[in-house]
Amino acid sequence: MKKIFIDAFKCAGCKYCELSCSFYHEGKFNPKLSRIRIFKEDEYGIDNPILCSLCSYCPCINICPTNAFYRNEKGFMEINIEKCIKCYKCIESCFFGAVFLHIEKNIPIVCNLCNGDPQCVKKCPTKAIVFLEPNEFAKKKNYEYSRIVYQDFLNKHGIKIKSD
């Protein structure tokens, strides 16, 4: 299954990804309705796009009391809003902060890769966001600096993750 690879060093912080995502899913250009968000890491001078990492161990799925949060047949994350009781445990449990609150509907939202055709990838002018086959993705895993930055962020917030 293809995955999205992010190179935070290439991100210009333009937010085209957020806008294209919100328009695809909501029919509106509103970054606060996007399933991908750009977080400024001023300490490191980078803009860091955050979206679902499709974790093999997904705490969001495991903690959902109604099984509303699930991995679909294509391997993408989905939230069944009919089952969701708005406890927001999925938002709290995501290691990467990649489950967001829909500000108008007060429901959790997560990237589902636009059903296999991620709009953020198409609109990224700097190619900071790319959609790769698994072997290509593995080759690109030379993003250690980003990982270090992210680990530092997690440490500052007291979040622990299991490394590969």
Side-chain angles (χ1 to χ4, degrees), residues 3 10 26 28 77 121 133 137 143 146-147 162:
K3 291 178 91 175
K10 289 184 177 179
E26 306 293 334
K28 300 176 182 176
M77 299 303 176
V121 172
E133 294 292 340
F137 186 88
Y143 59 93
S146 293
R147 187 176 213 157
K162 182 180 174 186

Side-chain angles (χ1 to χ4, degrees), residues 84-119:
C84 180
I85 59 172
K86 300 179 182 177
C87 67
Y88 309 120
K89 289 182 178 178
C90 54
I91 294 173
E92 296 168 5
S93 68
C94 178
F95 294 141
F96 300 100
V99 181
F100 306 104
L101 180 66
H102 190 293
I103 59 169
E104 295 175 353
K105 299 175 184 171
N106 289 323
I107 56 172
I109 54 176
V110 67
C111 174
N112 69 353
L113 300 176
C114 300
N115 293 313
D117 188 24
Q119 301 302 299

Side-chain angles (χ1 to χ4, degrees), residues 30-41:
N30 184 343
K32 293 180 179 174
L33 300 176
S34 176
R35 278 93 174 135
I36 181 171
R37 305 279 170 92
I38 306 297
F39 290 92
K40 290 200 168 294
E41 303 281 351

Side-chain angles (χ1 to χ4, degrees), residues 3-7 10 118 120-121 124 126-132 137 140:
K3 291 178 91 175
I4 291 179
F5 179 84
I6 294 174
D7 185 341
K10 289 184 177 179
C120 57
V121 172
C124 182
T126 62
K127 306 295 181 208
I129 306 168
V130 292
F131 199 39
L132 301 173
F137 186 88
K140 281 266 195 187

Side-chain angles (χ1 to χ4, degrees), residues 13-125:
C14 67
K15 298 187 181 253
Y16 285 174
C17 56
E18 292 179 347
L19 295 173
S20 62
C21 177
S22 70
F23 187 75
Y24 177 81
H25 291 283
E26 306 293 334
K28 300 176 182 176
F29 291 109
N30 184 343
K32 293 180 179 174
L33 300 176
S34 176
R35 278 93 174 135
I36 181 171
R37 305 279 170 92
I38 306 297
F39 290 92
K40 290 200 168 294
E41 303 281 351
D42 289 334
E43 185 176 343
Y44 304 102
I46 60 171
D47 295 298
N48 196 8
I50 301 293
L51 75 158
C52 180
S53 296
L54 302 171
C55 302
S56 54
Y57 170 78
C58 178
C60 309
I61 291 174
N62 295 333
I63 203 164
C64 181
T66 62
N67 297 320
F69 204 107
Y70 67 101
R71 191 181 308 266
N72 70 18
E73 68 282 347
K74 294 179 181 174
F76 312 146
M77 299 303 176
E78 295 279 358
I79 299 172
N80 182 335
I81 298 307
E82 303 289 322
K83 290 181 164 183
C84 180
I85 59 172
K86 300 179 182 177
C87 67
Y88 309 120
K89 289 182 178 178
C90 54
I91 294 173
E92 296 168 5
S93 68
C94 178
F95 294 141
F96 300 100
V99 181
F100 306 104
L101 180 66
H102 190 293
I103 59 169
E104 295 175 353
K105 299 175 184 171
N106 289 323
I107 56 172
I109 54 176
V110 67
C111 174
N112 69 353
L113 300 176
C114 300
N115 293 313
D117 188 24
Q119 301 302 299
C120 57
V121 172
K122 292 179 176 177
K123 297 297 180 186
C124 182

